Amino acid sequence: MARARRESGLTQRELADQLGTTPWLVDRIERGAEEASRYLADVSRATGRSVDWFVQPVPGAANGAAQVPARPIIGTSRQTGRLLALGAICLLVTIRFFTEVIPVVPRALNFVDIPIFLVLAFASLNGPTTNNAGRAYLRVGAPAIAFVVLAILSGIINADRVAPAPALVFIYGFLGPIAVYASVYRIWPPGNARSLSRCLVVLVLVQLVVVALIDIPRFIASENNPDQIAGTFGTNAYQLVFFLLIGSALLVGIFSNEPGRPVARAVPLLIGAILVVIMLAQYRAILATTVVTLVAIGALLRKRPRGIVAVTAAVIALALAFSYVATAFPRLKLEATATTLSESPWTYATRRYEGARPLIAMYGDIPFAVVVGTGPGTFSSRAWQTFANAGSSSLSNVQGGYARALTGGSYATDVSDKYVRPQLQKGLVVEGSHAVTSPHSSYTSLLAEVGVLGFVFMMVLYFLALTRSWRMARSALRAPVRNDPLPALALATFVAFLTLIQTAFLENWFEVTRITFIAWILLAIVARELDGREEAA
């Protein structure tokens, strides 16, 4: 193939453009690092040579046997790594559809993140090493280890109120995604970015189909109850919104850089549908995040003509979707939210202070908690909620029975009873939303349960992830190769972390493994793809 390309006067980049792939992949094919047979017909057309020419007999070979190259494809374990990573994303996105929407499997499978964590970790320990395995994730190793040490120290100091099960859930919730990132980075085989892109596109389409065929009829029958709009995420509309924001970034990136893909032609329509779904889901607290996401995408694509067109179309679609949903479904109170944001943009930030009052009061009464906290799983984290609300009758409370068994009954701590529960009982509402005044926030729970140092260590991890994803997106978009899937994936990864960091002010999102696992898996794959290209270069 290398000889045919050279004799045809083509560079690797020119051949890659004709194949709809990247020069990096063409180089791998020519070096024997990628299976060549599947590209044979396309290369034959591009170079003007017959397929038979590429498999002509080797002079001197016994009986004139044809030259059949060894299959230097990725080994079975490496292909398994790709399937494991893609399968993990698919399970995380769809499992609640089969346990809650159309319950055909036990609800206990909502805990699928735990076997995913274990399988990926086992695969990384038993998979092949790579040239720079560890280079990308050792940067997060130090703050992750420091966070574990501090959490253990905090648990020992606060041993009188810390229970083992909530403490372990706390550590797993915050650091499980980091371990998944390290595992996927180690097992992912570079050169498979398009398979991840296709997987995400299919999952976005599945969300829209489920919303159209199942959620909207229920939404109408329930007199416009927004809780019915959740896609395959069961009773968790905010997880659907998070995933659709990632999907929007991916689709805009595809429209900008991969015009040859069939889905690129449908991107304007899909973006409009996604924005309508986000509005119907009534997750009003994330409206500002949606706007910030579009601004960030526009900043990254400002030098790409098709990118500018896509972002402009998305902004217009956002305005139209907002206008339509606000008018057609006044119960969703979108107009009131928009009025507040436009006339008094700091209102939500001011009211968010209400959610921080328990932390401030606790710091005043227990000064040493500023340094080491009150202990993991004791104040307002998702780990605390899991066990403290074990008796909840909520449809999504599948963990209730397990939580009661692990703690020997009801779970309560002195600090949560004194500072957090009174705030929850007030039930303060802003524009129909409890999220703004709720004490549940990843930032306040970290500050409360592991102190300022633990908060700093976790923020370092997410700051590293955000800045790494930003740099990767800028690098991939600086001089992108036409139809390369990596720029769109890098853009989606950046949006995932940008969304996580914003919405963690409103809920304990850093512990929601169903979304954090996805974000860190995307980061691992995009980082591994870029590092693989550097290795090849």
Side-chain angles (χ1 to χ4, degrees):
M1 286 188 177
R3 175 184 165 191
R5 174 184 58 77
R6 289 193 297 267
E7 293 180 355
S8 300
L10 296 173
T11 64
Q12 287 186 334
R13 179 178 291 275
E14 290 169 341
L15 179 57
D17 287 342
Q18 294 195 41
L19 299 181
T21 183
T22 65
W24 175 77
L25 182 57
V26 170
D27 180 69
R28 284 178 59 83
I29 294 171
E30 294 184 353
R31 289 187 294 106
E34 184 77 20
E35 171 60 33
S37 60
R38 58 180 138 170
Y39 304 100
L40 187 56
D42 292 332
V43 174
S44 172
R45 287 192 294 270
T47 58
R49 299 186 183 266
S50 68
V51 172
D52 292 339
W53 182 89
F54 290 91
V55 290
Q56 57 187 305
V58 179
N63 302 321
Q67 180 182 8
V68 181
R71 294 175 56 84
I73 62 173
I74 297 169
T76 303
S77 58
R78 300 293 299 279
Q79 283 290 21
T80 300
R82 178 179 68 87
L83 295 175
L84 286 176
L86 297 180
I89 294 175
C90 292
L91 280 174
L92 291 167
V93 170
T94 61
I95 189 62
R96 280 187 180 265
F97 179 80
F98 299 106
T99 61
E100 295 177 4
V101 181
I102 301 179
V104 294
V105 296
R107 287 173 61 83
L109 287 179
N110 282 352
F111 292 112
V112 72
D113 60 295
I114 297 176
I116 285 174
F117 168 82
L118 295 174
V119 169
L120 291 175
F122 179 80
S124 70
L125 294 175
N126 291 274
T129 58
T130 55
N131 291 346
N132 62 356
R135 191 187 78 179
Y137 57 79
L138 280 179
R139 296 189 185 96
V140 301
I145 292 172
F147 184 86
V148 172
V149 171
L150 184 64
I152 294 173
L153 178 63
S154 176
I156 294 173
I157 294 174
N158 296 282
D160 57 333
R161 69 167 63 95
V162 173
L168 289 174
V169 171
F170 176 90
I171 295 174
Y172 167 75
F174 279 106
L175 291 184
I178 316 301
V180 166
Y181 164 72
S183 300
V184 173
Y185 181 89
R186 187 175 178 86
I187 66 176
W188 181 263
N192 289 277
R194 191 172 296 280
S195 62
L196 172 61
S197 180
R198 288 170 177 161
C199 175
L200 293 174
V201 169
V202 169
L203 289 174
V204 169
L205 296 177
V206 167
Q207 302 308 313
L208 297 178
V209 170
V210 171
V211 169
L213 299 182
I214 297 178
D215 293 352
I216 288 183
R218 293 179 178 179
F219 173 79
I220 295 173
S222 63
E223 298 182 352
N224 305 339
N225 179 6
D227 293 338
Q228 301 295 332
I229 307 295
T232 62
F233 289 90
T235 58
N236 296 276
Y238 67 91
Q239 295 179 15
L240 169 67
V241 172
F242 172 83
F243 184 75
L244 289 180
L245 286 176
I246 295 177
S248 299
L250 178 71
L251 290 171
V252 170
I254 290 173
F255 182 86
S256 173
N257 200 61
E258 301 175 75
R261 290 179 64 175
V263 72
R265 304 184 188 94
V267 164
L269 179 62
L270 292 175
I271 293 295
I274 286 172
L275 292 173
V276 169
V277 172
I278 290 175
M279 299 301 166
L280 291 176
Q282 200 213 15
Y283 200 57
R284 295 185 301 275
I286 211 170
L287 287 178
T289 300
T290 304
V291 175
V292 171
T293 297
L294 291 177
V295 171
I297 294 173
L300 285 167
L301 295 176
R302 66 186 185 278
K303 296 183 180 179
R304 305 285 297 170
R306 288 180 62 88
I308 295 174
V309 170
V311 173
T312 303
V315 171
I316 295 173
L318 175 63
L320 293 175
F322 184 92
S323 175
Y324 168 73
V325 175
T327 303
F329 307 101
R331 180 182 174 184
L332 301 184
K333 301 180 181 180
L334 291 178
E335 287 186 352
T337 303
T339 301
T340 302
L341 286 172
S342 60
E343 295 180 357
S344 181
W346 295 106
T347 297
Y348 286 105
T350 303
R351 298 305 298 271
R352 192 67 190 102
Y353 174 74
E354 294 293 332
R357 284 185 181 275
L359 171 67
I360 296 170
M362 187 269 292
Y363 272 179
D365 295 340
I366 312 175
F368 79 87
V370 175
V371 180
V372 295
T374 60
T378 59
F379 195 80
S380 63
S381 63
R382 189 176 179 85
W384 171 79
Q385 290 182 69
T386 298
F387 293 89
N389 299 331
S392 170
S393 59
S394 170
L395 292 176
S396 62
N397 187 31
V398 67
Q399 71 270 23
Y402 302 100
R404 288 192 297 273
L406 289 172
T407 55
S410 61
Y411 174 69
T413 68
D414 56 334
V415 289
S416 64
D417 287 346
K418 182 176 181 180
Y419 303 104
V420 178
R421 288 195 181 278
Q423 179 78 0
L424 293 172
Q425 291 168 0
K426 289 180 182 179
L428 298 176
V429 178
V430 178
E431 304 292 359
S433 174
H434 294 273
V436 177
T437 58
S438 169
H440 299 313
S441 163
S442 291
Y443 300 114
T444 55
S445 63
L446 282 167
L447 287 167
E449 297 184 20
V450 288
V452 173
L453 283 178
F455 170 81
V456 169
F457 292 143
M458 186 54 57
M459 289 306 98
V460 167
L461 288 169
Y462 275 90
F463 176 78
L464 289 173
L466 181 66
T467 54
R468 178 76 191 273
S469 63
W470 168 261
R471 288 196 303 269
M472 292 192 305
R474 287 189 61 187
S475 174
L477 290 165
R478 185 175 294 117
V481 177
R482 186 179 177 87
N483 292 322
D484 182 2
L486 201 53
L489 288 171
L491 188 63
T493 303
F494 171 69
V495 166
F497 282 97
L498 183 66
T499 302
L500 265 178
I501 288 173
Q502 290 179 81
T503 52
F505 282 102
L506 302 171
E507 246 302 346
N508 292 304
W509 278 49
F510 289 166
E511 296 173 84
V512 182
T513 52
R514 196 166 288 102
I515 59 178
T516 55
F517 275 18
I518 294 173
W520 285 94
I521 288 174
L522 290 178
L523 182 67
I525 293 175
V526 174
R528 189 67 193 96
E529 289 286 344
L530 287 173
D531 289 346
R533 294 184 182 188
E534 290 180 7
E535 292 171 7

